[in-house]
Amino acid sequence: MPNLVLELLKYAFLAILYIFVARAVKAIYLELRTPNPRRASARAPAPARPAPRRTKKAPRKLAIVEGENMKGKSFDVSDELVVGRAEKCHIVLDDTYVSQMHARIFSKGEAVMVEDLGSTNGTYLNRRRITSPSELQRGDQVKIGKTVMELRK
């Protein structure tokens, strides 16, 4: 190939490279400097969830319906129950999928709530992983490790 063609290709490649870098820098600059209306609407707070259903008397028994050695036991949810592998927990589960301090089940007024305490494998309410304190209703199932607990009257 003649040297002239190689020189032209070299300069064309450099021009394309500079255009690409300039557009990338411009896109980053615009993204950081101007508010994007589409992005602002995506950050808008989610609409409030409907109020949870209320019963006349909140259920206060937590029964273990699945689990190796605890099946059939029930616990009164009068104040607070901490579930985990640690000996100081109210409900001690001998399960490698359960953290030392895994979850907390507590009363809040007339409601019974469940909260994950930063466990590794998560706490599930009706097969959905919870990330914030959630209210329990009668018949709801809480899964911690291999153990399934159900809120009863």
Side-chain angles (χ1 to χ4, degrees):
M1 258 188 182
N3 283 340
L4 180 64
V5 173
L6 290 175
E7 287 292 318
L8 288 175
L9 286 175
K10 181 171 68 172
Y11 288 119
F13 176 73
L14 284 174
I16 292 171
L17 183 65
Y18 284 128
I19 291 170
F20 173 77
V21 170
R23 290 184 59 109
V25 168
K26 180 182 176 185
I28 292 170
Y29 175 78
L30 291 175
E31 184 73 23
L32 293 175
R33 292 294 170 206
T34 59
N36 189 344
R38 283 180 279 153
R39 230 174 59 200
S41 66
R43 288 184 188 165
R49 292 178 17 185
R53 60 183 189 262
R54 297 281 181 203
T55 58
K56 291 180 181 177
K57 187 175 179 186
R60 296 293 179 176
K61 288 283 185 189
L62 186 71
I64 298 181
V65 294
E66 287 181 34
E68 293 177 13
N69 55 356
M70 300 281 286
K71 187 175 181 179
K73 292 187 178 182
S74 64
F75 300 89
D76 187 37
V77 186
S78 58
D79 186 33
E80 176 182 81
L81 294 172
V82 177
V83 183
R85 279 189 317 184
E87 291 298 323
K88 59 184 173 181
C89 292
H90 299 99
I91 302 175
V92 179
L93 301 176
D94 186 27
D95 185 349
T96 56
Y97 294 106
V98 176
S99 298
Q100 293 291 320
M101 302 287 277
H102 195 101
R104 177 173 83 117
I105 299 167
F106 60 98
S107 296
K108 184 176 182 182
E110 288 295 314
V112 177
M113 309 289 286
V114 62
E115 176 184 21
D116 186 77
L117 297 176
S119 65
T120 304
N121 295 314
T123 302
Y124 293 83
L125 173 60
N126 297 327
R127 297 185 178 179
R128 286 192 167 162
R129 189 172 184 155
I130 60 170
T131 56
S132 62
S134 302
E135 184 175 351
L136 293 173
Q137 301 294 331
R138 185 173 12 144
D140 283 349
Q141 292 189 337
V142 177
K143 184 173 183 185
I144 297 174
K146 296 177 185 174
T147 304
V148 177
M149 297 172 258
E150 185 176 291
L151 191 65
R152 296 184 177 163
K153 201 161 196 172

